[in-house]
């Protein structure tokens, strides 16, 4: 990557994040397309109640994999700094340190989740306890791949990162659809998740094999790493909760049919969140690398927010004009009752997508003053939905307000020049 301030004549337009952005966007879109293809088939073949079970369990994987998501960001940030410092032996030691702990944590998570199978079955009103048992295995398997992906992000090997993303996302879809069509139901879809994650992990390990073989150093976490990890964990807990808690609370409080309808609203509305989901994956390593090299990373934040507004704004326009068409295409005409709520859910996801960008930038810059107000926003959502859950529109209003408050919280203490100096432009050929 080459980067420098240059006069206007050198280049009047730059593509945000350059080739890396295009590569990660394509891989993420392929994975998202696979996920929606899976839901397209599952929602039609499983019925509202079983599909509601499956969607709630998949959402719970996202929610309970908080430590994994937190680790991914911190791993990307740390490996980016080591790469910028050109300290390959220490980077190799860090890779081994991450892989060992990810494997141990994955095993512990699986065992603990298996012990809590009955509680999860009752809380989410899942009809088949076997689904929850397989879900516990999926949850543990979900630990290793994001950790490895974080290293690939940090060293900015976005080609390998793209392969891992596609293998996990498309593999999950192909195997999951096959399971549904063969009559294995939600349990088969969850087993497909395990197989796809195993394939993705093998690809990631292959890409990192040279670093794994390099000896001579030992990674020892210092106070800076521990403090950053703590702040990242809390921030990720909050952002993940905002993306998942509403579905789980709706599944708990609403009737099974309404919970299924709400799941379709979430499925469609989260397209905006997923479409912009590749942006933080680029933002964290690039900002961390720039700061480690003594440069500003503010232009990456500007690019990231601009891309987020483009993607989410385009989706909101579609939700406003043709919500019924979106629902019919993704879930079928059986779920058209979800269409009136789609624009509102999309607005909430737009707020959350922008929040994730700001949070990622601050994590990369090691700034955590926003964490306390963000926690308040999450607690407000949980408390409000627990107190007021009469129907879908009421839950949706709370979701919009909560995510708007989270965006305001993430902006706490942010100091960024939102325009480039007059007569200057940057080039970014990364």
């Amino acid at each position: 990557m080459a980067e420098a301030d240059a006069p206007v004549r050198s280049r009047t337009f730059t593509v945000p994040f350059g080739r890396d952005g295009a590569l990660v966007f394509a891989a993420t879109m392929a994975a998202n397309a696979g996920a929606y293809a899976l839901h397209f088939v599952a929602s039609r073949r499983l019925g509202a109640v079983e599909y509601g079970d499956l969607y709630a369990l998949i959402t719970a994987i996202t929610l309970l994999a908080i430590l994994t998501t937190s680790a991914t960001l911190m791993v990307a940030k740390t490996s980016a700094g080591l790469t910028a410092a050109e300290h390959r032996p220490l980077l190799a030691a860090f890779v081994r340190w991450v892989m060992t702990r990810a494997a141990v944590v994955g095993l512990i998570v699986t065992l603990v989740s298996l012990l809590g199978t009955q509680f999860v079955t009752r809380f989410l009103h899942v009809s088949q306890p076997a689904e929850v048992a397989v879900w516990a295995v999926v949850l543990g398997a979900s630990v290793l791949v994001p950790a490895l992906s974080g290293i690939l992000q940090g060293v900015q090997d976005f080609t390998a990162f793209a392969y891992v993303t596609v293998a996990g996302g498309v593999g999950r879809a192909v195997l999951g659809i096959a399971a549904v069509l063969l009559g294995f139901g939600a349990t088969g879809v969850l087993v497909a998740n395990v197989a796809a994650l195993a394939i993705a992990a093998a690809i990631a390990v292959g890409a990192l094999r040279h670093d794994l073989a390099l000896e001579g150093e030992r990674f020892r976490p210092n106070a800076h790493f521990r403090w950053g990890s703590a702040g990242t964990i809390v921030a990720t807990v909050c952002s993940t909760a905002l993306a998942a808690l509403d579905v789980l609370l709706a599944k708990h409080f609403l009737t099974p049919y309404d919970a299924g309808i709400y799941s379709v609203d979430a499925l469609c509305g989260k397209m905006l969140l997923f479409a912009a989901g590749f942006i933080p994956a680029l933002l964290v390593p690039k900002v961390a690398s720039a700061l480690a090299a003594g440069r500003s990373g503010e232009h990456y934040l500007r690019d990231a927010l601009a891309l987020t507004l483009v993607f989410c704004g385009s989706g909101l326009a579609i939700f406003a004009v043709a919500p019924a068409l979106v629902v019919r295409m993704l879930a079928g005409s059986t779920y058209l009752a979800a269409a009136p709520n789609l624009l509102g859910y999309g607005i909430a996801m737009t707020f959350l997508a922008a929040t994730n960008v700001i949070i990622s930038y601050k994590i990369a810059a090691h700034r955590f003053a926003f964490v306390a107000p963000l926690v308040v926003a999450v607690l407000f959502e949980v408390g409000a939905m627990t107190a007021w859950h009469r129907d879908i529109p009421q839950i949706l209003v709370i979701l919009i307000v909560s995510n708007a408050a989270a965006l305001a919280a993430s902006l706490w203490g942010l100091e960024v020049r939102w325009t480039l100096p007059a007569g200057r432009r940057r080039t970014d050929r990364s």
Side-chain angles (χ1 to χ4, degrees), residues 392-403:
I392 292 176
Q394 190 174 65
I395 289 179
L396 194 57
V397 169
I398 296 172
L399 182 67
I400 294 172
V401 173
S402 301
N403 285 358

Side-chain angles (χ1 to χ4, degrees), residues 298 301 361-362 367 411-418:
E298 292 179 359
L301 176 60
Y361 174 80
K362 288 193 170 183
R367 302 175 187 172
L411 291 168
W412 183 274
L414 182 65
E415 296 180 0
V416 173
R417 294 173 299 172
W418 296 105

Side-chain angles (χ1 to χ4, degrees), residues 223-281:
H224 182 83
F225 180 86
R226 294 190 184 94
W227 169 248
S229 298
T232 301
I233 289 172
V234 177
T236 307
V237 166
C238 293
S239 63
T240 307
L242 290 168
L245 272 180
D246 65 296
V247 175
L248 301 182
L249 292 173
K251 185 71 171 68
H252 180 70
F253 289 121
L254 298 177
T255 66
Y257 176 79
D258 282 348
I261 294 299
Y262 190 85
S263 294
V264 172
D265 280 319
L267 171 68
C268 299
K270 280 188 171 66
M271 284 196 303
L272 307 188
L273 189 63
F274 296 152
F278 76 101
I279 299 173

